[in-house]
C-alpha cells in the first residue's frame, strides 16, 4: 500500500495567492497520505520547458515537508508547472534507504509514481531487455513508458500492449519530460480519485477521497471525475477539461502466490 497525491495544472496565469493556496492543498494531501506509506515520501514537478526536480527521502511525509529542499522546490511551482506529484511509500520490494527505490521515479525521460506491486517485474525486465537502476518493481512501468517515447510523446497504444504483460496491482501517474504538457493517468485495480476545478483549472488526484476532502476543506467548485478501473486518462496542460480516456489491460493479481485462473507463474 502506497499513497499517490498530486495536482495537474491547466494553463492559467494564477495570482500568487492562488498558487500559495494550491501548494497548501498539495501539502495537506501529502500529509494525510502518510498513513498509506510511512517508509519514504517525495515530490516532483515538471514544467512546460521540460525542466524538472525530484526530492525524496526515506522519511515520513510530516518530516519531509520541513526539509529545506522540499520548501524550495514547492516554492518553485509557478504558472509554467504542468504537474506536481507526491508519493508516500509503504516498502514492499526494495529497501527505502536506497533512494532509487523511492518515488517519484525517473526512468529515462519519464517521471512517475505508482501504487501497487508488479509480481512479474523481474521476469519482464529480463525478457524485454530493459535497463534497471532500482530494486523496486515500480520502475518497470516507467521503463516501459520510456521505451515507447522515443521522440518525446508516449505512444499510448504501444504502452498499453506492454502493460498487458504485467501481472499484479497498478495505479500510476506519469509524464514525459519531452512532452511535459501531457499527463498520463493509469487507474487500474488500486484506488485513485480525481477532482477538477474549473476556475482553478487544475485536477487533483489522491489514493483516497478523504485526502482531497481534508485538503480542500469545503471549498466550492470541486467536481469528482468518475473514472472506472482499468482506464487510461490523458490530461493536457492546454485544457485540463478536455480529458481523453480509453481502456487498458493487465493481469490483476491481488496477492503474491495467488495466480489468477489460467495464468502460469
Amino acid at each position: 500500500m502506497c499513497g499517490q497525491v498530486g495536482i495537474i495544472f491547466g494553463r492559467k496565469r494564477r495570482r500568487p495567492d492562488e498558487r500559495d493556496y494550491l501548494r497548501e492543498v498539495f501539502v495537506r494531501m501529502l500529509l494525510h497520505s502518510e498513513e498509506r506509506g510511512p517508509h519514504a515520501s517525495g515530490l516532483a514537478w515538471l514544467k512546460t520547458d521540460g525542466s524538472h526536480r525530484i526530492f525524496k527521502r526515506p522519511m515520513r511525509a510530516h518530516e519531509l515537508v520541513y526539509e529545506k529542499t522540499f520548501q524550495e522546490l514547492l516554492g518553485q511551482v509557478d504558472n509554467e508547472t504542468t504537474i506536481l506529484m507526491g508519493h508516500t511509500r509503504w516498502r514492499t520490494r526494495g529497501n527505502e534507504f536506497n533512494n532509487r527505490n523511492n518515488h517519484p521515479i525517473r526512468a529515462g525521460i519519464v517521471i512517475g509514481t505508482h501504487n501497487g506491486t508488479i509480481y512479474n517485474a523481474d521476469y519482464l525486465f529480463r525478457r524485454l531487455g530493459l535497463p534497471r537502476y532500482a530494486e523496486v518493481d515500480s520502475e518497470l512501468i516507467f521503463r516501459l513508458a520510456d521505451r515507447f517515447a522515443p521522440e518525446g510523446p508516449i505512444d499510448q497504444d504501444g504502452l498499453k500492449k506492454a502493460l498487458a504483460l504485467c501481472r499484479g496491482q497498478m495505479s500510476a501517474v506519469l509524464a514525459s519530460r519531452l512532452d511535459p504538457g501531457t499527463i498520463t493517468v493509469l487507474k487500474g485495480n488500486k484506488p485513485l480519485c480525481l477532482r477538477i476545478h474549473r476556475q482553478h483549472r487544475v485536477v487533483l488526484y489522491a489514493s483516497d477521497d478523504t485526502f482531497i476532502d481534508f485538503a480542500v476543506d469545503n471549498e466550492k467548485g470541486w467536481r469528482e471525475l468518475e473514472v472506472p478501473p482499468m482506464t487510461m486518462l490523458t490530461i493536457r496542460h492546454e485544457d485540463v477539461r478536455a480529458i481523453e480516456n480509453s481502456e487498458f489491460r493487465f493481469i490483476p493479481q491481488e496477492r503474491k502466490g495467488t495466480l489468477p485462473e489460467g495464468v502460469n507463474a
Side-chain angles (χ1 to χ4, degrees):
M1 182 174 71
C2 295
Q4 299 183 96
V5 299
I7 304 177
I8 300 169
F9 294 90
R11 182 177 295 283
K12 181 183 177 184
R13 295 197 64 81
R14 298 178 181 84
R15 297 168 61 90
D17 58 343
E18 187 178 13
R19 295 200 299 271
D20 288 344
Y21 167 72
L22 292 172
R23 292 188 192 107
E24 182 63 25
V25 166
F26 174 80
V27 172
R28 289 180 181 181
M29 291 195 298
L30 188 67
L31 289 172
H32 222 56
S33 181
E34 181 179 298
E35 68 185 48
R36 294 185 62 90
H39 299 116
S41 50
L43 89 163
W45 52 245
L46 183 62
K47 298 193 179 185
T48 54
D49 63 358
S51 61
H52 75 284
R53 290 292 301 275
I54 299 173
F55 180 62
K56 52 187 180 179
R57 289 290 183 269
M59 59 175 59
R60 291 174 177 267
H62 78 266
E63 299 170 316
L64 187 85
V65 299
Y66 289 108
E67 291 285 309
K68 181 180 178 182
T69 303
F70 180 95
Q71 294 291 336
E72 289 176 348
L73 264 59
L74 196 63
Q76 293 166 5
V77 171
D78 58 20
N79 288 328
E80 299 304 315
T81 305
T82 63
I83 185 168
L84 174 61
M85 56 178 70
H87 189 273
T88 55
R89 181 169 181 239
W90 190 291
R91 177 190 58 238
T92 51
R93 297 189 57 186
N95 191 300
E96 69 271 27
F97 293 101
N98 176 355
N99 208 34
R100 290 179 175 178
N101 292 325
N102 300 325
H103 299 224
I105 290 174
R106 183 172 71 84
I109 62 171
V110 172
I111 299 171
T113 62
H114 166 233
N115 175 25
T117 303
I118 307 300
Y119 292 117
N120 59 344
D122 293 345
Y123 166 73
L124 290 177
F125 269 112
R126 292 193 303 270
R127 172 181 166 181
L128 302 175
L130 296 169
R132 188 173 191 176
Y133 295 103
E135 302 155 321
V136 67
D137 52 286
S138 302
E139 183 183 358
L140 175 73
I141 296 171
F142 311 118
R143 290 289 169 198
L144 291 173
D146 180 63
R147 171 165 286 188
F148 286 97
E151 298 179 355
I154 298 170
D155 173 359
Q156 296 195 345
D157 289 337
L159 178 58
K160 285 179 183 177
K161 289 180 182 177
L163 291 175
L165 302 172
C166 297
R167 174 167 49 81
Q169 308 144 18
M170 180 192 314
S171 281
V173 180
L174 56 134
S176 164
R177 290 192 294 115
L178 300 185
D179 184 23
T182 303
I183 311 301
T184 300
V185 178
L186 302 170
K187 180 173 178 177
N189 56 349
K190 299 297 283 184
L192 192 63
C193 308
L194 297 98
R195 288 190 208 174
I196 189 169
H197 197 291
R198 291 175 62 89
Q199 290 184 328
H200 291 314
R201 296 186 193 175
V202 299
V203 173
L204 303 184
Y205 64 86
S207 296
D208 192 311
D209 237 359
T210 61
F211 301 165
I212 300 178
D213 290 338
F214 176 80
V216 302
D217 192 24
N218 295 320
E219 186 198 23
K220 295 182 180 178
W222 293 101
R223 179 173 63 85
E224 181 180 357
L225 296 175
E226 296 184 4
V227 181
M230 314 306 277
T231 298
M232 175 184 284
L233 298 179
T234 301
I235 304 177
R236 302 186 193 283
H237 178 66
E238 285 300 320
D239 185 357
V240 293
R241 297 166 300 181
I243 299 173
E244 301 167 18
N245 67 80
S246 60
E247 185 181 38
F248 80 105
R249 290 288 173 189
F250 59 97
I251 305 168
Q253 181 178 339
E254 289 302 320
R255 292 183 177 83
K256 188 176 183 179
T258 56
L259 288 174
E261 186 176 351
V263 174
N264 298 318

